[in-house]
Amino acid sequence: MELLVAYEQDPAGHNMAKFISKQMKKDGDIYRGKNFDLIIIPTPAISADWLEERYHYDGFVFLSKHAAQSGELALTCHSTGNFGIAQFGGNERQVAVPHPHLQKSYLKTLWKNRHSFLEFQITIEATHHGPTALSKPTMFIEIGTTEKQWNDEFLCNSVAKLVLQTMSKPIKTHPVAICFGGTHYPEKFTKELIEGKHALGTVIPKHALEFLDESLFSHILDRNRAKTALLDWGGLGSHKQKVIDLIKDADMEMIKL
């Protein structure tokens, strides 16, 4: 069973959680459901590496706001982790176990309902921020990009309905791939999730490839257990050969996008 998690002072996450919890029974600090439970926590979601000390579930899905300097409106989801220093929660050079099949199901559901969100970019983000230490699959579902959207209950409820829809049906499994290159909002990998056959694990953007070495690569493989690597061929920069060599040494299938 999955656990949905929202931080009480995160307006977007809290709004989504309030809507979803209406259909659930409260048992102590846990809202109980048929396919998943839900909690609202008093500390930031990006620092929730402590969750498994108290809550034992098969996976963790965080409901959250999304912020971007560009101000572009976006509905996003992503796996968590830090390739370098830990600026926003979690541990440095540690990635969480991704939630690839649920992520693909959610993003495809969001895309099918894109007519309801015409002002919004629908995209995954590259792997970033905490928590990173949880041993079970972890993902963030986010609403961006300003306080206006975070506090828009109609918008938050509309997204929450799609979360409910996704979580209330069996999740199909797909071949899982680790992604290398591209921007923080990787168009090629988002397209693969929506239209392609792969579900996506850790997504390492171009700007983080400088941190990639054998040790970090081995850790990422261990967290993903994927046999395929997707490469944004034009978005690898000066680290292209290093990435190719690491993938070949790991005997992974390499697909250029």
Side-chain angles (χ1 to χ4, degrees):
M1 179 176 276
E2 302 286 331
L3 182 66
L4 297 187
V5 184
Y7 171 38
E8 65 183 9
Q9 294 187 37
D10 176 331
H14 198 192
N15 277 331
M16 285 189 277
K18 283 190 297 183
F19 178 84
I20 293 170
S21 68
K22 289 177 182 177
Q23 303 183 31
M24 308 175 81
K25 292 184 178 180
K26 194 170 186 186
D27 175 15
D29 61 344
I30 301 174
Y31 293 89
R32 303 286 184 183
K34 181 180 178 182
N35 300 295
F36 57 86
D37 291 345
L38 180 149
I39 59 170
I40 298 172
I41 59 175
T43 55
I46 61 172
S47 302
D49 296 275
W50 55 269
L51 273 176
E52 285 179 310
E53 296 171 13
R54 292 185 57 184
Y55 306 101
H56 303 287
Y57 287 85
D58 297 320
F60 299 95
V61 180
F62 293 88
L63 307 174
S64 174
K65 67 182 182 183
H66 168 72
Q69 289 182 340
S70 68
E72 183 172 359
L73 302 186
L75 301 176
T76 76
C77 58
H78 66 88
S79 59
T80 64
N82 297 310
F83 304 110
I85 60 173
Q87 287 184 295
F88 302 103
N91 300 314
E92 64 179 35
R93 290 176 60 83
Q94 183 180 54
V95 300
V97 179
H99 219 325
H101 309 296
L102 182 61
Q103 182 190 49
K104 187 177 182 76
S105 181
Y106 171 70
L107 195 74
K108 290 183 75 169
T109 300
L110 189 56
W111 184 253
K112 287 176 184 175
N113 290 275
R114 62 190 181 279
H115 59 275
S116 299
F117 309 102
L118 293 177
E119 296 179 353
F120 291 81
Q121 179 187 13
I122 293 174
T123 179
I124 63 164
E125 294 179 76
T127 298
H128 68 300
H129 72 59
T132 62
L134 300 173
S135 67
K136 298 296 174 64
T138 301
M139 69 176 281
F140 267 64
I141 290 173
E142 301 184 355
I143 293 174
T145 297
T146 71
E147 289 189 17
K148 179 181 178 181
Q149 287 75 45
W150 306 338
N151 289 292
D152 182 339
E153 290 196 13
F154 180 80
L155 171 63
C156 293
N157 293 352
S158 297
V159 174
K161 288 176 185 176
L162 299 185
V163 174
L164 273 171
Q165 185 179 324
T166 303
M167 303 283 290
S168 299
K169 61 186 180 183
I171 302 298
K172 295 180 181 178
T173 59
H174 302 80
V176 178
I178 303 171
C179 300
F180 298 85
T183 66
H184 183 76
Y185 302 98
E187 291 183 15
K188 291 180 180 179
F189 301 144
T190 296
K191 184 177 181 181
E192 177 66 24
L193 267 189
I194 295 169
E195 301 177 5
K197 72 175 185 179
H198 292 94
L200 305 184
T202 301
V203 178
I204 309 143
K206 177 181 176 181
H207 68 261
L209 292 175
E210 64 177 294
F211 302 111
L212 195 62
D213 54 22
E214 288 186 12
S215 174
L216 181 58
F217 186 79
S218 177
H219 165 66
I220 291 169
L221 287 184
D222 184 58
R223 291 297 231 177
N224 283 262
R225 303 192 182 280
K227 297 180 179 179
T228 301
L230 297 184
L231 277 63
D232 182 334
W233 195 242
L236 292 168
S238 61
H239 300 282
K240 179 180 285 187
Q241 193 57 50
K242 176 177 70 173
V243 171
I244 293 170
D245 291 343
L246 287 168
I247 292 168
K248 286 183 176 178
D249 287 346
D251 198 27
M252 299 178 74
E253 177 188 18
M254 184 167 58
I255 300 174
K256 303 173 185 177
L257 299 179

